[in-house]
Amino acid sequence: TYVPMMAALFLNKKLNHKKNITDKLMIFLERSYQPLLKKVLNIPKAIIVSTVALFAISVILLLNMGGEFIPQLEEGDFAVETRVLAGSNLNNTIESTQKATKLLIQNFPEIEKIVTKIGSAEIPTDPMPIEAADMVILKDKSEWTSAKTFNELSLKMTKVLEAVPGITVGFQFPVQMRFNELMTGARQDVVCKIFGENLDSLTHYASKLNEIVKTVDGAIDIYEEKVTGMPQVVIKYNREGMANYGLNVADINKVVNAAFAGQIAGQVYEEEKRFDMVVRFDGEARKSITDIQNLYVSSAKGQQIPLSYVANIEEIEGVNQIQRENTKRRIIVGFNVTGRDVQTIVKELQAKINDQLKLQKGYTIVYGGSFENMTAAKDRLGIVVPIALLLIFLLLYFAFGSVKQGLLIYTAIPLSAMGGIFALWARDMPFSISAGVGFIALFGVAVLNGILLVSEFNRLKAEGWHDSIRIVIHATKSKLRAVLMTALVPALGFIPMAISTGAGGEVQKPLATVVIGLFYL
């Protein structure tokens, strides 16, 4: 009601009309389009065959296009996941991260400041072990001198940080890293989770998988989770030797515990407060395995003998952590992606794993990260899109009261998809959820154009027109302006999004490219 009312109030009431530029342009388009349409109507079989062939080619392109969940957003800063060896203390982590920080600041003027976060706060919203740290804050991209892109800058920074011994680094964007961690428990773009029971077998498979990932082009910042490597001192008692000196396990355990862990020797009072007084060896006497071997133990006869006389003492690598998911033990190998789409990389990796890594029964590999998100999103789209298409068909049927006409309009949906697929292929873009949203918008424009034409066909038929060819030619001529406007508005409106280089442009480009592809096809 609003548009007719405003048109009646403000449009010019004069009936005479002089041709303007728009009218002349439309006359030119009609004169160009009408002869072409008449020729096409004379060769229907050739047109149908060529259209089906083009559609088949577009489907093949789509199947081989690759895919990703959403394009990486350039957030402006780096979250540099820095890890030292598992089991390292806080002092080692601080020392290593300070060395890395100095190297980065000295070599890269793009860095505004570096904020290093280690471990977990009192409220553990972002729990991390004390061997992990992250965060680099960058200047605006226009001020960069060392590199032009984030990928180039991260590769150069990784090269510089190789000078710091014992650390591994991974460059990601802060929100993206938190999102990956929230969804899959790991911070990398792609995470290979190996499930099994035996920790030694899991470690072996993870090491093999790490070597395979290194051969995949586009996989960077490879991270292998360490479940072993925690140094442990093991004291194995010699029962025969203990018998010779009249000792038992409880006595020796008490001495070892008192020397290194401490024993309560009394209590200290400060006003109403009471504290246990613990006695143990000085820190200098608890530093090495030799201190344990030379620990004196009193025999039954009062002799002072070294602990090494009645026990075998050695240092071994023990279990550092045991991670479980759905009650099953697991270990992960993760990596970030650059220069390629996630789906293509994972497919290549899966093929290499099937050829080179044979898992025992009871051991499985699950692929997570962005690949898991993309697979889940595709599954949801596989349910939602058919339902939406069915609802569109029902609305068309109710609008025209004809299954035949509804199906006629419906043919515009797969044919319009060709334009979006060829546009993505021409710009070398993988399929993503952003592109999927673009296809949904594309289908809406195609259906709207179909409704315009079929409605005009029906109007002419109701007026007494019976020649189908004449109806088609006249209807397309009278509705050419409306159809062109319907297609041009989104096509021209999305051009700034298609060429955007600002924040968020990575997500906008696939959507805009698909919609623009409709008009140019």
Side-chain angles (χ1 to χ4, degrees), residues 250-263:
D251 293 336
I252 298 179
N253 279 344
K254 187 175 181 180
V255 173
V256 173
N257 185 62
F260 294 94
Q263 285 285 344

Side-chain angles (χ1 to χ4, degrees), residues 306-319:
L307 182 60
S308 57
Y309 282 24
V310 293
N312 180 31
I313 304 163
E314 59 182 354
E315 185 176 343
I316 64 170
E317 283 192 359
V319 176

